[in-house]
Amino acid sequence: MAETPTRRGRLQLLLIAAVFLGPLLLAAWLYLSGSSLAPKSRANHGTLLEPIINLDEALPGSDFGALHEDRWLLVYRYAGSCDAGCREGLYTIRQLRLMLGREMERLGRIFLHGDIPPDTVFLASQHEGLVALEDGELSELLAASRPASAADGGYYLVDPNGNLVMYFSPDLEPQEIVADIKRLLRLSRIG
């Protein structure tokens, strides 16, 4: 038996409607049933900082703005005198940059210290290229943006636009931190 043109037209209309309404109905079912196809684990090891804070806008008179021109910055904040823990943090920040390989020129290092100035001879001999900076307002802003559940003494990542992007807890393995930074550098079209 031959199909009539009206019947064929209705079948085509139903197929077109199924193409458009099918995904909508599937999405509604997944949403209402509580089912999730989202991955069970996350890819990053550090903590994404939200809301995004632009340091240039938050601290208009700061010396920090000139430091991040066209590159990412890894900031290590240590409030006390530079004791063994501080030196370990400085060593780690240096090694993190070296672990980036050919991408290391895209990342600068900042040591944000407290009122007690660090040993400049030590910094010059052991940490060439490290910028030591005393900025109480910046230090307070970073401390306030650190997640409450994360340990103090970690590392902050700032993008070339001056946005505070991530916080890396001091208990993370350096390989995990470098994996996150490499992923951001690979995906970034800035810096």
Side-chain angles (χ1 to χ4, degrees):
M1 179 190 285
E3 285 188 37
T4 63
T6 306
R7 186 174 177 163
R8 189 178 327 151
R10 287 182 186 155
L11 183 61
Q12 288 176 346
L13 179 64
L14 287 174
L15 285 174
I16 290 172
V19 166
F20 288 105
L21 294 177
L24 180 63
L25 293 172
L26 177 65
W29 176 74
L30 287 173
Y31 177 76
L32 294 173
S33 69
S35 175
S36 174
L37 299 176
K40 301 298 182 216
S41 64
R42 58 178 199 201
N44 58 312
H45 300 87
T47 304
L48 290 170
L49 298 175
E50 294 180 312
I52 299 280
I53 298 172
N54 185 288
L55 297 176
D56 295 335
E57 292 172 5
L59 305 168
S62 176
D63 297 332
F64 189 76
L67 298 175
H68 64 76
E69 293 178 10
D70 297 329
R71 64 183 181 161
W72 292 76
L73 292 177
L74 196 56
V75 180
Y76 175 60
R77 180 182 152 274
Y78 197 85
S81 64
C82 198
D83 57 7
C86 169
R87 289 178 184 236
E88 181 67 29
L90 291 173
Y91 173 77
T92 301
I93 200 172
R94 181 182 70 198
Q95 294 307 106
L96 290 172
R97 183 174 175 270
L98 292 174
M99 290 170 71
L100 291 174
R102 62 185 173 166
E103 297 289 333
M104 73 180 185
E105 294 304 319
R106 293 178 67 188
L107 184 74
R109 298 169 296 141
I110 305 290
F111 172 41
L112 187 59
H113 60 83
D115 296 338
I116 304 168
D119 181 3
T120 54
V121 174
F122 168 74
L123 292 180
S125 66
Q126 298 294 315
H127 300 284
E128 183 180 340
L130 176 74
V131 176
L133 183 66
E134 178 188 357
D135 189 335
E137 289 181 20
L138 176 60
S139 184
E140 289 174 15
L141 181 65
L142 292 180
S145 66
R146 178 180 49 86
S149 61
D152 194 16
Y155 312 96
Y156 298 86
L157 187 65
V158 179
D159 74 8
N161 292 332
N163 297 316
L164 191 55
V165 178
M166 267 185 139
Y167 176 76
F168 300 103
S169 181
D171 57 350
L172 285 175
E173 292 294 322
Q175 295 85 355
E176 295 172 334
I177 297 172
V178 168
D180 282 358
I181 294 173
K182 279 185 176 181
R183 186 177 305 111
L184 284 171
L185 291 177
R186 185 179 70 242
L187 297 174
S188 172
R189 295 180 186 210
I190 54 175

mmCIF file with all atom_site columns, all heavy atoms in Angstrom, residues 30 34-42:
data_model
loop_
_atom_site.group_PDB
_atom_site.id
_atom_site.type_symbol
_atom_site.label_atom_id
_atom_site.label_alt_id
_atom_site.label_comp_id
_atom_site.label_asym_id
_atom_site.label_entity_id
_atom_site.label_seq_id
_atom_site.pdbx_PDB_ins_code
_atom_site.Cartn_x
_atom_site.Cartn_y
_atom_site.Cartn_z
_atom_site.occupancy
_atom_site.B_iso_or_equiv
_atom_site.pdbx_formal_charge
_atom_site.auth_seq_id
_atom_site.auth_comp_id
_atom_site.auth_asym_id
_atom_site.auth_atom_id
_atom_site.pdbx_PDB_model_num
ATOM 1  N N   . LEU A 1 30 ? 16.799 14.330 33.082 1.00 0.00 ? 30 LEU A N   1
ATOM 2  C CA  . LEU A 1 30 ? 18.031 14.240 33.869 1.00 0.00 ? 30 LEU A CA  1
ATOM 3  C C   . LEU A 1 30 ? 18.014 15.219 35.033 1.00 0.00 ? 30 LEU A C   1
ATOM 4  O O   . LEU A 1 30 ? 18.450 14.908 36.131 1.00 0.00 ? 30 LEU A O   1
ATOM 5  C CB  . LEU A 1 30 ? 19.249 14.500 32.985 1.00 0.00 ? 30 LEU A CB  1
ATOM 6  C CG  . LEU A 1 30 ? 19.631 13.394 32.010 1.00 0.00 ? 30 LEU A CG  1
ATOM 7  C CD1 . LEU A 1 30 ? 20.737 13.869 31.080 1.00 0.00 ? 30 LEU A CD1 1
ATOM 8  C CD2 . LEU A 1 30 ? 20.049 12.146 32.750 1.00 0.00 ? 30 LEU A CD2 1
ATOM 9  N N   . GLY A 1 34 ? 17.436 13.984 39.166 1.00 0.00 ? 34 GLY A N   1
ATOM 10 C CA  . GLY A 1 34 ? 18.629 14.126 40.011 1.00 0.00 ? 34 GLY A CA  1
ATOM 11 C C   . GLY A 1 34 ? 19.832 13.401 39.437 1.00 0.00 ? 34 GLY A C   1
ATOM 12 O O   . GLY A 1 34 ? 20.897 13.389 40.022 1.00 0.00 ? 34 GLY A O   1
ATOM 13 N N   . SER A 1 35 ? 19.680 12.794 38.303 1.00 0.00 ? 35 SER A N   1
ATOM 14 C CA  . SER A 1 35 ? 20.769 12.080 37.654 1.00 0.00 ? 35 SER A CA  1
ATOM 15 C C   . SER A 1 35 ? 21.759 13.093 37.097 1.00 0.00 ? 35 SER A C   1
ATOM 16 O O   . SER A 1 35 ? 21.389 14.144 36.608 1.00 0.00 ? 35 SER A O   1
ATOM 17 C CB  . SER A 1 35 ? 20.214 11.216 36.529 1.00 0.00 ? 35 SER A CB  1
ATOM 18 O OG  . SER A 1 35 ? 21.262 10.605 35.830 1.00 0.00 ? 35 SER A OG  1
ATOM 19 N N   . SER A 1 36 ? 23.018 12.767 37.191 1.00 0.00 ? 36 SER A N   1
ATOM 20 C CA  . SER A 1 36 ? 24.032 13.689 36.708 1.00 0.00 ? 36 SER A CA  1
ATOM 21 C C   . SER A 1 36 ? 25.059 12.933 35.886 1.00 0.00 ? 36 SER A C   1
ATOM 22 O O   . SER A 1 36 ? 25.509 11.861 36.261 1.00 0.00 ? 36 SER A O   1
ATOM 23 C CB  . SER A 1 36 ? 24.728 14.380 37.879 1.00 0.00 ? 36 SER A CB  1
ATOM 24 O OG  . SER A 1 36 ? 25.781 15.160 37.394 1.00 0.00 ? 36 SER A OG  1
ATOM 25 N N   . LEU A 1 37 ? 25.404 13.496 34.764 1.00 0.00 ? 37 LEU A N   1
ATOM 26 C CA  . LEU A 1 37 ? 26.453 12.918 33.938 1.00 0.00 ? 37 LEU A CA  1
ATOM 27 C C   . LEU A 1 37 ? 27.771 13.643 34.149 1.00 0.00 ? 37 LEU A C   1
ATOM 28 O O   . LEU A 1 37 ? 28.720 13.420 33.420 1.00 0.00 ? 37 LEU A O   1
ATOM 29 C CB  . LEU A 1 37 ? 26.039 13.000 32.462 1.00 0.00 ? 37 LEU A CB  1
ATOM 30 C CG  . LEU A 1 37 ? 24.763 12.245 32.100 1.00 0.00 ? 37 LEU A CG  1
ATOM 31 C CD1 . LEU A 1 37 ? 24.418 12.486 30.633 1.00 0.00 ? 37 LEU A CD1 1
ATOM 32 C CD2 . LEU A 1 37 ? 24.905 10.776 32.380 1.00 0.00 ? 37 LEU A CD2 1
ATOM 33 N N   . ALA A 1 38 ? 27.825 14.503 35.143 1.00 0.00 ? 38 ALA A N   1
ATOM 34 C CA  . ALA A 1 38 ? 29.040 15.256 35.434 1.00 0.00 ? 38 ALA A CA  1
ATOM 35 C C   . ALA A 1 38 ? 30.106 14.310 35.987 1.00 0.00 ? 38 ALA A C   1
ATOM 36 O O   . ALA A 1 38 ? 29.799 13.323 36.648 1.00 0.00 ? 38 ALA A O   1
ATOM 37 C CB  . ALA A 1 38 ? 28.745 16.350 36.456 1.00 0.00 ? 38 ALA A CB  1
ATOM 38 N N   . PRO A 1 39 ? 31.373 14.606 35.731 1.00 0.00 ? 39 PRO A N   1
ATOM 39 C CA  . PRO A 1 39 ? 32.443 13.770 36.266 1.00 0.00 ? 39 PRO A CA  1
ATOM 40 C C   . PRO A 1 39 ? 32.424 13.769 37.796 1.00 0.00 ? 39 PRO A C   1
ATOM 41 O O   . PRO A 1 39 ? 32.056 14.753 38.426 1.00 0.00 ? 39 PRO A O   1
ATOM 42 C CB  . PRO A 1 39 ? 33.725 14.430 35.760 1.00 0.00 ? 39 PRO A CB  1
ATOM 43 C CG  . PRO A 1 39 ? 33.314 15.442 34.774 1.00 0.00 ? 39 PRO A CG  1
ATOM 44 C CD  . PRO A 1 39 ? 31.863 15.697 34.926 1.00 0.00 ? 39 PRO A CD  1
ATOM 45 N N   . LYS A 1 40 ? 32.833 12.680 38.375 1.00 0.00 ? 40 LYS A N   1
ATOM 46 C CA  . LYS A 1 40 ? 32.828 12.542 39.831 1.00 0.00 ? 40 LYS A CA  1
ATOM 47 C C   . LYS A 1 40 ? 34.038 13.205 40.493 1.00 0.00 ? 40 LYS A C   1
ATOM 48 O O   . LYS A 1 40 ? 34.060 13.419 41.680 1.00 0.00 ? 40 LYS A O   1
ATOM 49 C CB  . LYS A 1 40 ? 32.785 11.064 40.227 1.00 0.00 ? 40 LYS A CB  1
ATOM 50 C CG  . LYS A 1 40 ? 31.571 10.341 39.696 1.00 0.00 ? 40 LYS A CG  1
ATOM 51 C CD  . LYS A 1 40 ? 30.296 10.927 40.247 1.00 0.00 ? 40 LYS A CD  1
ATOM 52 C CE  . LYS A 1 40 ? 29.102 10.163 39.740 1.00 0.00 ? 40 LYS A CE  1
ATOM 53 N NZ  . LYS A 1 40 ? 27.951 10.945 39.486 1.00 0.00 ? 40 LYS A NZ  1
ATOM 54 N N   . SER A 1 41 ? 35.075 13.474 39.730 1.00 0.00 ? 41 SER A N   1
ATOM 55 C CA  . SER A 1 41 ? 36.254 14.116 40.302 1.00 0.00 ? 41 SER A CA  1
ATOM 56 C C   . SER A 1 41 ? 36.579 15.368 39.498 1.00 0.00 ? 41 SER A C   1
ATOM 57 O O   . SER A 1 41 ? 36.085 15.556 38.397 1.00 0.00 ? 41 SER A O   1
ATOM 58 C CB  . SER A 1 41 ? 37.446 13.163 40.297 1.00 0.00 ? 41 SER A CB  1
ATOM 59 O OG  . SER A 1 41 ? 37.802 12.859 38.954 1.00 0.00 ? 41 SER A OG  1
ATOM 60 N N   . ARG A 1 42 ? 37.425 16.198 40.040 1.00 0.00 ? 42 ARG A N   1
ATOM 61 C CA  . ARG A 1 42 ? 37.796 17.419 39.345 1.00 0.00 ? 42 ARG A CA  1
ATOM 62 C C   . ARG A 1 42 ? 39.205 17.280 38.789 1.00 0.00 ? 42 ARG A C   1
ATOM 63 O O   . ARG A 1 42 ? 39.990 16.433 39.230 1.00 0.00 ? 42 ARG A O   1
ATOM 64 C CB  . ARG A 1 42 ? 37.692 18.608 40.272 1.00 0.00 ? 42 ARG A CB  1
ATOM 65 C CG  . ARG A 1 42 ? 38.572 18.443 41.483 1.00 0.00 ? 42 ARG A CG  1
ATOM 66 C CD  . ARG A 1 42 ? 38.513 19.625 42.366 1.00 0.00 ? 42 ARG A CD  1
ATOM 67 N NE  . ARG A 1 42 ? 39.710 19.525 43.181 1.00 0.00 ? 42 ARG A NE  1
ATOM 68 C CZ  . ARG A 1 42 ? 39.886 20.096 44.316 1.00 0.00 ? 42 ARG A CZ  1
ATOM 69 N NH1 . ARG A 1 42 ? 38.972 20.868 44.793 1.00 0.00 ? 42 ARG A NH1 1
ATOM 70 N NH2 . ARG A 1 42 ? 40.988 19.950 44.993 1.00 0.00 ? 42 ARG A NH2 1
#
